[in-house]
């Protein structure tokens, strides 16, 4: 069963749109679970997207099966007391600090993430301050900012209208109960680092909010990040302008955001983060040339700042410039192979369309491993098609089933179900004894 490359390219690229994804502490990634990215992205450890020690992702002892809990931990409606409801509905506050292995605060703000059983992606709660301290009310997510980075891959490659994550941050968030919290852990997310975790099991609303210290260990082979060193050099007024721009972006007030970003750049022309976010604002107003120019200026200001590379890769994928997509994603992975599962995905699509199926398969497998929280299920679809072309029907069946599991309502779900049924039919034929 051979799937034509051109047909697959059309399937993956139909309706390419530009949307927004959550800014994991301005990391990507740390989308991206364990480790530096992973979960990707953007995974434990440093950014929440990576899985397992081999990829630098620190998943820690993430709570899993709760079926064998002691009944006293989760009282049933029959044996709980009304007073317990009153206490359970109280807000829960947590505080602590994050330090690196040499005892110093993180070199830039780290995102404090909550990882909970039954929840696919890490929940971003707060940022650390300059001394590595954090303090927050669980579930409020006050001050968390939207990402101006690449869009959700399901939107980008499925033809759906763009989803927006620019709203819904801070204030009026559902309150987290003590029972829900007991199935969670806390960690820090920072590209290039792997994080320890702190279990929140047994915490109550009236407990001392101090949870202790989260430790970050530097990964030696990471030289690219989702935050820029140029931000540290920005004058106070430029930083204020960037903050105002981010506030406008949260409200989709693109003209106001553009004005503030241009002000920030007039005060600090090498402000890579401002260039990058200006590129994203240009995308929202359909100024594609302006977006590319802004991304290129961001890279010129800070060649180790990863986010604008991803923006350029997306633009080139939209135009099916596969050689350029491959070159850009190779550059990203050379700088940081932990925090950016989207780079694996774009690279795999580019390699497939350049007729290099072996490289596409390799990138898909590594990307799926990095994407601990299955934020890019389309990688499984692509891998399934690659394996089907290689007549590995059992492997293809498993990957297509995985795609449908994590994206059951995708625009192409019915088409993929038909593909899966066809492949499973072939698997059954192979298992049937021949007369």
């Amino acid at each position: 069963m051979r799937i034509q490359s051109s047909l697959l390219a059309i399937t993956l690229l139909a309706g390419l749109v530009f949307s927004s994804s959550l800014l994991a502490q301005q990391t990507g990634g740390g989308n991206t679970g364990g480790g530096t990215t992973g979960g990707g992205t953007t995974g434990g450890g440093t950014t929440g997207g990576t899985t397992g020690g081999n990829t630098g992702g620190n998943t820690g002892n993430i709570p899993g099966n709760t079926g064998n809990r002691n009944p006293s931990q989760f009282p049933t409606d029959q044996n709980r007391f009304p007073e317990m409801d009153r206490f359970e509905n109280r807000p829960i506050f947590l505080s602590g600090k994050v330090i690196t292995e040499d005892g110093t605060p993180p070199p830039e703000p780290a995102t404090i993430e909550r990882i909970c059983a039954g929840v696919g992606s890490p929940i971003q709660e707060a940022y650390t301050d300059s001394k590595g301290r954090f303090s927050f009310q669980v579930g409020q997510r006050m001050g968390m900012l939207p990402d101006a980075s690449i869009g959700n891959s399901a939107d980008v490659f499925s033809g759906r209208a763009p989803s927006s994550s620019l709203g819904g941050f801070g204030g009026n968030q559902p309150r987290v109960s003590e029972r829900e919290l007991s199935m969670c852990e806390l960690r820090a997310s920072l590209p290039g680092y792997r994080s320890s975790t702190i279990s929140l099991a047994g915490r109550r609303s009236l407990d001392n909010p101090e949870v202790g210290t989260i430790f970050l260990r530097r990964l030696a082979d990471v030289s690219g990040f989702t935050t820029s060193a140029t931000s540290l050099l920005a004058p106070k007024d430029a930083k204020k302008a960037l903050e105002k721009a981010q506030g406008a972006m949260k409200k989709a007030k693109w003209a106001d955001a553009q004005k503030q970003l241009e002000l920030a750049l007039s005060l600090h022309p090498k402000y890579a983060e401002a260039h990058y976010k200006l590129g994203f604002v240009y995308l929202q107003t359909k100024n594609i040339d302006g977006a590319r120019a802004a991304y290129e200026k961001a890279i010129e200001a800070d060649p180790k700042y990863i986010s604008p590379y991803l923006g350029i890769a997306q633009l080139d994928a939209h135009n099916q410039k596969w050689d350029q997509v491959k070159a850009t994603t190779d550059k990203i992975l050379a700088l940081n192979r932990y925090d950016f599962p989207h780079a694996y995905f774009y690279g795999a699509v580019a390699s497939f369309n350049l007729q290099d199926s072996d490289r596409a398969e390799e990138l898909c497998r590594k990307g799926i491993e990095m994407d601990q929280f299955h934020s890019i299920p389309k990688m499984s679809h692509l891998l399934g098609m690659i394996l089907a072309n290689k007549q590995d029907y059992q492997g293809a069946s498993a990957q297509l089933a995985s795609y449908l599991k994590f994206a059951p309502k995708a625009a192409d779900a019915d088409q993929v179900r038909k593909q899966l049924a066809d492949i499973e039919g072939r698997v059954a034929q192979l298992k049937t004894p021949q007369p």
Side-chain angles (χ1 to χ4, degrees), residues 1 352 357 361 365 380-399 423:
M1 185 175 93
F352 186 86
S357 293
E361 178 181 349
R365 292 189 184 279
S380 293
H381 183 200
L382 175 55
L383 180 56
M385 296 297 94
I386 293 169
L387 296 177
N389 285 343
K390 293 184 175 183
Q391 298 186 352
D392 178 1
Y393 298 128
Q394 288 186 324
S397 175
Q399 293 300 326
I423 291 172

Side-chain angles (χ1 to χ4, degrees), residues 7 24 45 65 84 90 92 115 131 137 193 195 215 220 237 242 257 292 312 318-319 325 344 350 354 359 415:
L7 176 60
N65 183 3
M84 297 178 68
R90 289 177 180 267
I92 301 172
I115 313 165
K131 296 182 179 179
Q137 179 181 334
Y193 290 81
S195 175
F215 296 92
D237 288 345
L242 181 65
R292 176 178 287 276
I312 287 176
H318 175 60
N319 293 317
V325 175
Y344 286 98
L354 292 170
R359 177 61 174 166
Q415 176 187 350

Side-chain angles (χ1 to χ4, degrees), residues 95-100 103-112 126-136 187-188 190 210-216:
S95 60
K97 66 178 179 179
V98 177
I99 63 173
T100 61
T104 60
E108 58 198 63
T111 303
I112 303 302
Y127 300 129
T128 58
D129 62 19
S130 61
K131 296 182 179 179
R133 296 286 310 177
F134 62 86
S135 180
F136 60 91
R187 71 161 179 231
L190 187 64
E210 190 71 17
V211 298
T213 301
I214 298 174
F215 296 92
L216 289 175

Side-chain angles (χ1 to χ4, degrees), residues 356-375:
D356 189 352
S357 293
D358 290 341
R359 177 61 174 166
E361 178 181 349
E362 177 186 1
L363 288 171
C364 277
R365 292 189 184 279
K366 289 183 178 178
I368 290 169
E369 181 182 7
M370 294 289 176
D371 188 22
Q372 177 183 352
F373 298 101
H374 310 288
S375 62

Side-chain angles (χ1 to χ4, degrees), residues 96-336:
K97 66 178 179 179
V98 177
I99 63 173
T100 61
E101 55 192 334
D102 62 3
T104 60
E108 58 198 63
T111 303
I112 303 302
E113 296 179 337
R114 181 162 47 92
I115 313 165
C116 302
V119 178
S121 299
I123 301 163
Q124 300 163 9
E125 292 281 12
Y127 300 129
T128 58
D129 62 19
S130 61
K131 296 182 179 179
R133 296 286 310 177
F134 62 86
S135 180
F136 60 91
Q137 179 181 334
V138 176
Q140 290 298 291
R141 306 174 70 187
M142 297 299 293
M144 303 308 294
L145 300 173
D147 191 4
S149 71
I150 62 171
N152 179 289
S153 65
D155 293 334
V156 172
F157 289 95
S158 71
R160 292 204 301 257
S163 64
S164 176
S165 334
L166 290 174
F169 276 74
N172 299 322
Q173 299 295 320
R175 186 164 291 173
V176 178
S177 70
E178 293 177 353
R179 285 183 292 175
E180 292 171 320
L181 194 66
S182 69
M183 296 183 288
C184 300
E185 292 185 333
L186 215 59
R187 71 161 179 231
S189 174
L190 187 64
Y193 290 81
R194 185 165 58 188
S195 175
S196 65
T197 59
I198 294 176
S199 173
L200 300 178
R203 294 201 66 84
R204 299 293 180 260
S205 59
L206 298 180
D207 288 348
N208 183 337
E210 190 71 17
V211 298
T213 301
I214 298 174
F215 296 92
L216 289 175
R217 182 170 66 84
R218 182 66 183 265
L219 297 169
D221 57 347
V222 170
S223 59
F225 306 96
T226 50
T227 53
S228 172
T230 63
S231 298
L232 301 175
L233 304 175
K236 183 178 179 180
D237 288 345
K239 292 179 179 179
K240 285 185 177 180
L242 181 65
E243 290 173 359
K244 290 180 180 179
Q246 290 173 155
M249 290 167 67
K250 288 166 65 175
K251 299 176 183 178
K253 295 183 177 180
W254 307 119
D256 292 345
Q258 180 176 340
K259 180 180 178 180
Q260 292 298 326
L261 290 168
E262 289 173 345
L263 173 59
L265 289 167
S266 71
L267 298 169
H268 185 35
K270 294 294 186 180
Y271 205 166
E273 184 180 352
H275 281 299
Y276 165 61
K277 289 183 177 176
L278 181 60
F280 176 75
V281 170
Y282 282 147
L283 283 183
Q284 307 313 304
T285 57
K286 312 302 181 185
N287 183 355
I288 306 302
D289 291 339
R292 176 178 287 276
Y295 290 151
E296 290 174 347
K297 288 180 181 178
I299 293 171
E300 180 182 355
D302 186 355
K304 294 185 178 181
Y305 182 34
I306 299 294
S307 297
Y309 288 103
L310 286 170
I312 287 176
Q314 184 181 15
L315 292 174
D316 287 335
H318 175 60
N319 293 317
Q320 300 189 36
K321 296 180 178 179
W322 302 121
D323 285 321
Q324 295 181 33
V325 175
K326 180 181 182 302
T328 300
T329 53
D330 284 349
K331 175 68 172 178
I332 293 170
L333 296 175
L335 290 170
N336 186 326

Side-chain angles (χ1 to χ4, degrees), residues 152 154-155 158-161 377-378 400-417:
N152 179 289
D155 293 334
S158 71
R160 292 204 301 257
K378 202 68 180 176
L400 295 186
S402 177
Y403 173 62
L404 293 172
K405 175 182 178 181
F406 295 108
K409 297 182 180 180
D412 61 351
D414 288 340
Q415 176 187 350
V416 175
R417 289 187 183 96

